[in-house]
Amino acid sequence: MTALAHSTLDTVTARGPISEAVLGRLRGHADTGPADAAGAALPTVTDVVRDDDVQLSLFLLYASSYGSLPGLDPDLEWDAELIAARRILEEAFEAALRAQVPQPESPEPTVDAVGRALFALAAADTGPSLSRYMAKKATRDNAAEMFIQRSIYTLREADPHSWAIPRLHGRAKAALVEIQTDEYGGGRPDRVHATIFARAMRGMGLDDTYGTYVDDVPAITFASHNLMSMFGLNRRLVGAIVGHLAAYEMTSSIPCRLYADGLRRLGYPDDVTDYFDEHVEADAVHEQIAGRDLAGALAEDHPELLDDIMFGASACLTVDGWMGGHILDAWQRGESSLRTGARA
């Protein structure tokens, strides 16, 4: 694939006045306060979920909490101006999601009822199947783009959901820790899922440094990651991050098998397919824990969180469906799904 510029905080390109102000503040030379920029620009935004400026800005603000981009000053993690901008953007993002994402009917707040409702919600998902396209039709160009698109989340896999650990108690906390232990390799650094994905990227000839492709991915890719970060970092949304994880795990095993099949069809070796092979078995176990022991137990212990658990699950399926639809539509037109149009 054509080499793309490695992104650090200093090389990320602003996509509008909000991200320009956020980048300026993070770099230590802001001309306009990020909160003022957000307040002035948001009234002109027609679709917050798909707006490049809004979603890049949120991504950068969350990156400060993760410490995920080179050049981020840890002293700015709780900078009042940046937090104020984040709150303004989060309010608009959450409102847009609440308006656009279907709110499923909530079941009885019992382990069994919630588990069955979440599995039914996942089974009813009719979003575009990027994995089926990868299995049967995708080219090597498409495969490389798929890895680039996924790198925004998967090189940080599990981290957004881990924010929920200190916010849970009892059965739900134990279930989440059980899932996350597997995600982080069960004590084996080489089996950390993000590490396995990084190895697969190298096998594809891609740069596995986090943030390399920030300038190349579209707003909807950031939105998928920002959704998790917003749910995870806001304690009042703990139900939503739990529901998100449940839906994510329930819709991972079969697609991962199809991704692995497609990569083998294209002739890629085991170091590229290993990440997807790992998830075929792991997520088949995780979906049961996430649906019942985590989400079901949380709803049973805290019925007031049930609506948000269902909303988080629906938001996962919906937003990831939008992201998959963007990628698949581009490929079916014979175009790149990346903003830069870079191809293998």
Side-chain angles (χ1 to χ4, degrees), residues 142 145 324-338 343:
N142 299 150
E145 284 193 10
H326 164 81
I327 297 170
L328 191 56
D329 288 347
W331 290 354
Q332 289 175 333
R333 293 192 305 268
E335 299 173 0
S336 172
S337 66
L338 302 174
R343 302 303 297 264

Side-chain angles (χ1 to χ4, degrees), residues 6-14 19 22-29 59-61 63-64 68-73 76 210-211 214-215:
H6 169 67
S7 293
T8 67
L9 185 64
D10 289 334
T11 61
V12 172
T13 303
S19 52
V22 169
L23 279 167
R25 187 76 174 185
L26 288 170
R27 292 167 177 164
H29 52 76
F59 171 78
L60 293 168
L61 291 164
S64 187
S68 54
L69 289 177
L72 285 167
D73 183 351
L76 291 177
Y210 190 78
V214 164
D215 280 349

